[in-house]
Structures are given as C-alpha cells and as structure tokens.
Amino acid sequence: MIRLLRNAEVYAPEPRGLQDLVIAGGRIVWLGDGLPILPAALEPEETDLGGRRLVPGFIDGHAHLTGGGGEAGPHTRVPPLQLSTLTRAGVTTAVGVLGTDDVTRTTAELVAAVHGLRQLGLTAFCHTGGYHLPPRTLTGSVRGDIALVDAIIGVGEIAISDHRSSQPTLDELLRLASEAHVGGLMSGKAGILHLHVGDGPRGLDLVREALDRSEIPARVFNPTHVNRRAALFEESLELADRGVTIDVTAFPVGEGEDARDAADALVRYWDAGLPPERITVSSDGGGCLPSFDADGQVIRFDVGSPAALGDTLSRLLAEGHALEQALPPFTANPARLLRLAGKGRIAPGMNADLLVLNPKGGIDDVMADGRWHVRQGRVVVTGPFEGAGA
C-alpha cells in the first residue's frame, strides 16, 4: 500500500510548514511541497489532512507490557497492555519493563509480548531484568541478553532508593552498568541501565557516586520517576548537566503532593537551561502506582496509563509552549537515547510512525509503520483478544 498525505502542517519535530508525504513499505519515501506524479496503476490511498499538524509518533520508554503490580497480593497484578491502549494514546514505539514482580513475570514473557506487538504492527523492545539483583536474564548475563536477543536493548528497571529494591551497592550498580554498556557496544544497541528511583532519602546518591568513581559514560545511566519528589527532581537536574538523560513519568499528581507532574517538570527543566535532548517522558503504562504506609504496606494504588503522554503534551500546548519545544521529550529524545534509527523524526527514510493532532493538541489519527491504527479517534486495528468475553 502506498499512502499519500496532503496538506500536513509538519513538525519534524521542528516546524517544516505545509508539506505532502509519500509513504511506502512502512517508511516516509518523499516529503515536500507538491506531491510527485505517481502511476495510476499503483492505486495509492490519498488523505488530505487539511492543514492539521503532523508529528512523530510517541516513543514510550517505560511501559509494563506484561502488566505490573502485585505489591498488595496476587489479585492486584495488573493485566497486560492491549495494542489499542498504546496506539490510542499515540504510542508507536514501546519499551517494556518488568518492575517489582520479577518472580512470576519473567524476561522471557516480556520478550514474547514484544514479539506479539511487533506482529500487530507496533515497534516494541524491552529491558532485561526487573527491580532486583541478580537480574533475571535469558542467556545468563545482562551483556549476553543485550548482545544476542534482538528485542532487548538495556537492563532495568533496577530499583534504587526504594524499600522494594535489593538495596544494591555501588559495586553492584557499576557491574550492571558495565554489563549494559559493553552489551550495547557489542550489538550497536542503547545498552542503558534504566533505574527505577524510589522516594527514599538517598535519592540519586548511587548514580552520582558511579559517575565520580568509574569510567562508564554518563549516558549509560538512565534514572526514571525523577519527578516523584520535588527535591529528587532538583537532584536529577545536576545529573543531566553531567550527561545523564533523565526520564520523568506522566503520572497523576494530587494537590499539595510533594511531586512535579510531567508538564511542570519539563518546564522547570527548560527554565534551567539544560541540554534539551537530555530529558524524556514515559508513561509507566500498565504499572502499579502504589502509596505505602510507614510499615511498607500498600494503602492505595492507581495504574499508569499511556494516555498520560498525550494529556501532558496537550497541557503544554494549552499553556502556550511551542509544539517544536514540547515534542522532543516524547519523540526525538528517546529515539536518541535508545538508539532507535528511523524513529522520533519526520524525514525521508524514517519510519512512518505519525500522529495527526486536532486543533486542541489531542490525537485524531495514529499511523504505525505506515499503517493507520486510529482514524478520527476511532481504533481500527486491535489485538486478537481485545473485547473478547470471559
């Protein structure tokens, strides 16, 4: 199928003005002003976007594809994410993690989920391991998993500063970072150490020590949930200045809560004048968002949603931030960190992962790998078990 898109106001993520696109083989093969003449025998599908904004698809670098939770008993295990839950939210590339439960959920299960989403037309990857040490791997080592398993691009989410973690030492953290880094070198993958940061008082101490006492590049360390406490976010700004890419989570923040929501965190980051490419936004979609009492028992919990990404972008636009400034943390920045060639930008040769925005900044249409998954807000591609009865 060859698809022609006319009259798209392209943000690549930088503004390109009104452009036309030719899409074939899952890629953007032409971008410019005025479509080339194609033979009628090709029977291209043509869509006039009428000047609506066309942006790259979201890259969600932290999603619980097999479901999260379980901290309050087996009945609180969150179900796996469905394809349409991701695409409706504008996610065209997802990176899966295990989280707290790396006993009943495994890296093998996560890799299978990745391949399942790929079969349905979504780009997907995952990290090996979970919260705890030693990490659960497929080949016996983090380095081997990254080097040998196509779907695996890093290790994580390894928990630090959290009562649910394995309380890793600096030496253990450095060993993991080394394994990830070398695995990435061997395979050309990201090779990152994706770190779940809890709300413990040690914050990012381990990461600072790792930067001070090792030769491992700063880009290997990738702390997430850094906006869960205001003071923790200020710590993370120091790390970004040293070359670390930080990840903020688009989770709900209640009034008076000591946290920054994703939109506020981005604005604070931009105001600090730090390198704009060193911050990303992820959803924690499918993950449990628990609150604990002083004894470490769950008192309530919510579930992360990929839709929070689009909500965050819409809010930034409503507050007057330019689309070209707001887009990179959802698109070009994670593509750069995760070394995903062909992702995060609109240009000839790039993957045709595209979102069409409505005037309010919401998502009308979603194209993943050159195929429409959502049209005018309606899901047109679903997984085989979506909507199935019990």
Side-chain angles (χ1 to χ4, degrees):
M1 172 67 71
I2 296 176
R3 291 185 166 88
L4 311 179
L5 303 184
R6 290 188 182 273
N7 301 315
E9 186 70 25
V10 173
Y11 285 80
E14 65 278 358
R16 294 287 302 270
L18 208 61
Q19 302 275 279
D20 301 324
L21 297 87
V22 179
I23 294 164
R27 292 187 177 269
I28 301 166
V29 298
W30 187 90
L31 173 70
D33 184 10
L35 284 169
I37 297 175
L38 299 178
L42 294 177
E43 299 182 344
E45 174 195 273
E46 187 169 329
T47 302
D48 190 335
L49 296 183
R52 286 182 294 166
R53 291 169 292 183
L54 186 72
V55 305
F58 294 156
I59 300 171
D60 191 347
H62 185 110
H64 292 266
L65 301 181
T66 56
E71 286 98 333
H75 63 292
T76 64
R77 286 162 45 97
V78 181
L81 286 175
Q82 299 277 17
L83 171 71
S84 65
T85 303
L86 293 161
T87 54
R88 187 186 287 111
V91 175
T92 56
T93 300
V95 180
V97 296
L98 286 183
T100 310
D101 182 2
D102 46 15
V103 174
T104 67
R105 301 188 193 275
T106 67
T107 298
E109 182 185 9
L110 192 54
V111 169
V114 164
H115 287 294
L117 288 172
R118 289 179 177 182
Q119 286 285 91
L120 296 172
L122 201 76
T123 300
F125 299 93
C126 66
H127 295 308
T128 188
Y131 268 26
H132 304 109
L133 303 181
R136 298 195 67 180
T137 64
L138 292 181
T139 66
S141 73
V142 166
R143 185 171 71 252
D145 279 12
I146 296 171
L148 299 175
V149 182
D150 167 68
I152 297 175
I153 58 175
V155 58
E157 54 178 313
I158 301 295
I160 60 172
S161 299
D162 193 301
H163 64 91
R164 294 166 291 174
S165 79
S166 293
Q167 310 303 316
T169 65
L170 176 61
D171 286 345
E172 289 172 327
L173 195 75
L174 288 175
R175 178 64 59 85
L176 274 179
S178 171
E179 287 273 298
H181 177 49
V182 175
L185 292 176
M186 294 172 65
S187 60
K189 297 178 186 174
I192 62 170
L193 172 57
H194 188 59
L195 293 165
H196 162 103
V197 186
D199 56 8
R202 289 175 293 173
L204 292 161
D205 286 352
L206 272 177
V207 182
R208 278 193 297 272
E209 290 183 60
L211 295 177
D212 290 340
R213 296 176 56 183
S214 79
E215 304 79 20
I216 298 170
R219 68 162 301 278
V220 173
F221 300 94
N222 179 222
T224 188
H225 312 322
V226 296
N227 52 319
R228 69 186 316 142
R229 290 190 297 110
L232 178 64
F233 188 69
E234 295 304 310
E235 281 188 70
S236 75
L237 298 183
E238 299 173 15
L239 295 185
D241 197 38
R242 298 182 64 177
V244 171
T245 297
I246 60 174
D247 184 58
V248 301
T249 305
F251 47 49
V253 175
E255 185 176 352
E257 188 176 346
D258 179 28
R260 289 185 180 273
D261 65 31
D264 286 340
L266 285 172
V267 173
R268 171 71 184 100
Y269 186 92
W270 296 329
D271 288 347
L274 293 164
E277 69 275 10
R278 291 186 194 151
I279 188 168
T280 61
V281 182
S282 64
S283 74
D284 208 2
C288 183
L289 307 177
S291 297
F292 297 94
D293 63 19
D295 295 322
Q297 299 297 310
V298 175
I299 53 177
R300 62 180 178 276
F301 65 87
D302 199 349
V303 177
S305 170
L309 298 176
D311 293 343
T312 300
L313 179 64
S314 295
R315 179 180 154 191
L316 289 167
L317 298 181
E319 292 176 353
H321 298 282
L323 182 56
E324 60 266 33
Q325 180 184 40
L327 273 176
F330 304 86
T331 58
N333 291 1
R336 170 183 170 273
L337 170 69
L338 300 173
R339 293 183 175 172
L340 302 180
K343 302 294 183 183
R345 298 188 59 78
I346 298 177
M350 304 296 281
N351 292 107
D353 295 338
L354 304 167
L355 310 181
V356 181
L357 303 184
N358 61 40
K360 293 184 178 180
I363 299 168
D364 276 353
D365 306 304
V366 179
M367 177 181 288
D369 199 30
R371 180 186 185 189
W372 292 114
H373 280 248
V374 179
R375 300 304 307 269
Q376 298 179 339
R378 184 175 66 88
V379 173
V380 295
V381 178
T382 59
F385 303 109
E386 295 192 41

